[in-house]
Amino acid sequence: MLDKGWVRRNYPAVRLDQEIPWPLQDSSQRSWNFHLHCWDMLEDLLAAYSLGLDREYLQLCLRVALDWSVRYGNGATSSDDTPFAWYDMAVGLRSYRLAYLLEAARAAQMLSAEDDSLLWQALRAHQAYLADDANIAFHNNHGYYQVAGQLAMGRRFSGQSTFMAEAHAQGEMRLRRMLEQQFAADGVHREHSPDYHRMVYDTLSGLIGSGLVEDPGLLELSLRVEQALAWFVLPNRRLVNFGDSDYRNVTRTAEQAEHKWRTAEMRWQTSAGEIGKNPGAGLKRFDQGGYFVYRQPMAGFSEQAAYLAQTAAFHSRTHKHADDLSFFWYDRGGEVLIDSGRYGYLGKTEQNSELWLDGHWYADPKRVYCESTRAHNCLEFDGKNYPRKGIKPYGVALGRSLELACGLVAMETECRHFKGNRHVRLLLLMPGQWLIVFDWFHDNQGNSHDVRQWFHLAEDWQLEAQKDGYQAASDKTGQRLQIVALLPGSAASRTYRGENEPLMQGWWSPAERQLLPNSAFCYEQAAAVTGSFATLFSFTEGIVADPVRSEVKASGRQIRLRWRDQQGSHQIHIARPADGELVVEYSQHDARSDSNPAGPDQSKTISAKFRRIQSRFLSKFKV
């Protein structure tokens, strides 16, 4: 960094011995400008100085801090050249860095009286800003970082200043309030993003490691938070990128994992099972956080394990995409169906503009796409995004769930869109073999809709349309996938990949300001008041759907699905009573014993070979 400058992702390098580009040049640099005003470029130098006391490191940091303090340190919350000098989260992150720098520079006798006064007044401005509840973003993670900075700053100078002692006491009180608000009782972060869950927890872990958090209740909560995070690590040690999450690699060596994580579960997940213990397998319900997560039980750690996660919550607009009931599927060594990612926070929307009214905070077209309903594995009505602005968040949309002895897992979710439009989704996974996505919808007001059931394959999958559906092949794993509609009445769309006109479609974002092409498609129904989709994704070829004997009652409560493939015939019967338990019966007739589809009597006999396990959970929905 000293030789080449500080670099964040693909932004320009910043030389700390030259003029710092504090002013915001244009909206495309908002994220970069924010990180500059957080003083992120000083973090490694301050850490290095604390270890080796090399004055060169501290001198560079002092140069930057004094320059910033002359320009912005008076505490004026508005500036002509940037909105980020006194941006809420930037103040929190900068305050603990400024406090350490001032204390270290005093100890090293590197400050003139004038410079000492300048930095102290800047620190007092931070204390005054953070003391005012009106400046604290209590509703999201920004406030959390403000309080973390306030705690660290206050403790460092509490013995020298009554103002700083008050800051420390206030920070302790606020921290408990925020953690209990931001994390559900099951340990899940309520901002719809596993990567923000990780990031907020990292700060909490740092506070604990620094001795700033000693409350037994918060220490116990922190362990639940880390244990919950372990369920969002894919078999390839990437984080599921729901919401505003990057496709983050959390792989660590055994030594690194032991140092970084406090629980055996995260150590196991990030070290590929070298240390720690398996966090568990099978179906995990996060009833307060609003997720289903399934991990295939296997002996030891395996990248071949099947993994299915579904997001089913709307707690607030914070980092919430228009992605109700979307899901992520990993199987046979790689991602199959993926999420769009976040792209970045570029181009603020104008108040009362069309984008603003549609729930978008940012106007960059690539960011707008990544938030959209059509960019997720979602049901889309009339080409519109699910509403996020001006409506009451529904909380958690988890329904019933079960696992069968044969290995099949079922996840039921339900929510409402556009006032009276009911939507039920049922995911049925046979790990390593197939996935069925069933959607039922009904407009209680009798309005008809053009409905699309969107799917997005991982970028390594090549997709081709066929007469009866689609064929896909993975360049990475060599796996092949056949995709068919099991119910009549749906039309298969053309394939999409990396398109910008007339609308963006077939893209995903693995990291900030990166957008890569991937294959997308949908099944469509036109002018429907009530309807159902049932799409089968199978690793077995030779699929022939049986639309004659596959049917759904108008209520969506009785479902029968049948198909044949090279392994034989398959039949699933599902009962979704308004009151009571979800029931799923699955039977397979082996092709080697009879090449014909199993008849009703045969299905009943074969079904008896499987023990049916009804749901342990009563329905949360009485519809």
Side-chain angles (χ1 to χ4, degrees), residues 118-130:
L118 179 63
L119 293 179
W120 177 252
Q121 290 306 312
L123 191 65
R124 282 280 282 111
H126 283 69
Q127 176 270 325
Y129 178 95
L130 294 171

Side-chain angles (χ1 to χ4, degrees), residues 587-608:
S587 60
Q588 178 185 346
H589 189 86
D590 195 333
R592 291 172 295 181
S593 60
D594 189 343
S595 60
N596 297 317
D601 293 337
Q602 291 170 306
S603 286
K604 186 179 295 184
T605 301
I606 297 164
S607 181

Side-chain angles (χ1 to χ4, degrees), residues 92-113:
L93 292 170
R94 191 173 57 236
S95 59
Y96 80 86
R97 291 163 175 165
L98 173 57
Y100 171 77
L101 189 152
L102 176 57
E103 184 181 62
R106 283 178 174 178
Q109 299 182 341
M110 294 174 64
L111 292 174
S112 66

Side-chain angles (χ1 to χ4, degrees), residues 126-278:
H126 283 69
Q127 176 270 325
Y129 178 95
L130 294 171
D132 187 350
D133 280 352
N135 293 328
I136 306 300
F138 287 102
H139 63 288
N140 63 31
N141 68 80
H142 288 205
Y144 173 75
Y145 287 101
Q146 290 176 287
V147 170
Q150 182 187 35
L151 266 175
M153 172 191 67
R155 185 180 69 167
R156 192 170 293 280
F157 287 99
S158 60
Q160 304 172 37
S161 164
T162 57
F163 294 106
M164 294 300 176
E166 291 170 359
H168 184 254
Q170 186 182 40
E172 286 185 319
M173 177 187 66
R174 285 170 164 176
L175 181 64
R176 168 177 283 279
R177 170 184 171 185
M178 286 187 172
L179 287 174
E180 292 177 348
Q181 175 180 306
Q182 290 199 23
F183 287 97
D186 53 20
V188 169
H189 194 235
R190 288 193 175 102
E191 292 188 1
H192 318 101
S193 164
D195 202 23
Y196 271 87
H197 181 138
R198 175 204 59 82
M199 187 168 67
V200 172
Y201 173 74
D202 275 353
T203 299
L204 175 58
S205 181
L207 292 174
I208 293 170
S210 300
L212 287 166
V213 175
E214 298 176 337
D215 184 303
L218 293 184
L219 294 176
E220 192 277 331
L221 172 62
S222 72
L223 295 178
R224 272 185 282 134
V225 168
E226 188 176 304
Q227 288 165 343
L229 180 62
W231 281 89
F232 296 93
V233 179
L234 296 169
N236 62 0
R237 299 174 302 289
R238 298 268 185 172
L239 280 183
V240 178
N241 66 325
F242 285 136
D244 280 344
S245 296
D246 289 341
Y247 182 55
R248 186 174 301 279
N249 190 341
V250 293
T251 301
R252 297 290 187 274
T253 65
E255 182 180 359
Q256 291 170 336
E258 185 173 15
H259 175 75
K260 179 172 179 59
W261 302 109
R262 300 169 57 236
T263 66
E265 291 83 356
M266 273 301 287
R267 290 172 177 172
W268 167 277
Q269 289 291 78
T270 57
S271 71
E274 288 190 37
I275 62 169
K277 72 174 184 179
N278 193 328

Side-chain angles (χ1 to χ4, degrees), residues 488-564:
S490 299
S493 75
R494 65 179 179 88
T495 62
Y496 300 80
R497 189 177 183 93
E499 298 188 9
N500 292 308
E501 298 294 341
L503 295 172
M504 292 187 69
Q505 187 55 283
W507 298 94
W508 79 293
S509 175
E512 185 179 357
R513 298 176 70 179
Q514 291 185 21
L515 205 64
L516 303 178
N518 71 300
S519 294
F521 65 96
C522 67
Y523 283 97
E524 304 173 275
Q525 294 183 21
V529 176
T530 302
S532 298
F533 296 87
T535 303
L536 169 68
F537 297 80
S538 177
F539 291 108
T540 303
E541 297 187 0
I543 294 177
V544 178
D546 189 349
V548 175
R549 287 185 286 184
S550 294
E551 60 178 348
V552 179
K553 299 298 184 184
S555 65
R557 300 208 173 278
Q558 296 289 333
I559 308 157
R560 188 180 298 276
L561 304 172
R562 296 174 64 103
W563 74 96
R564 288 184 291 114

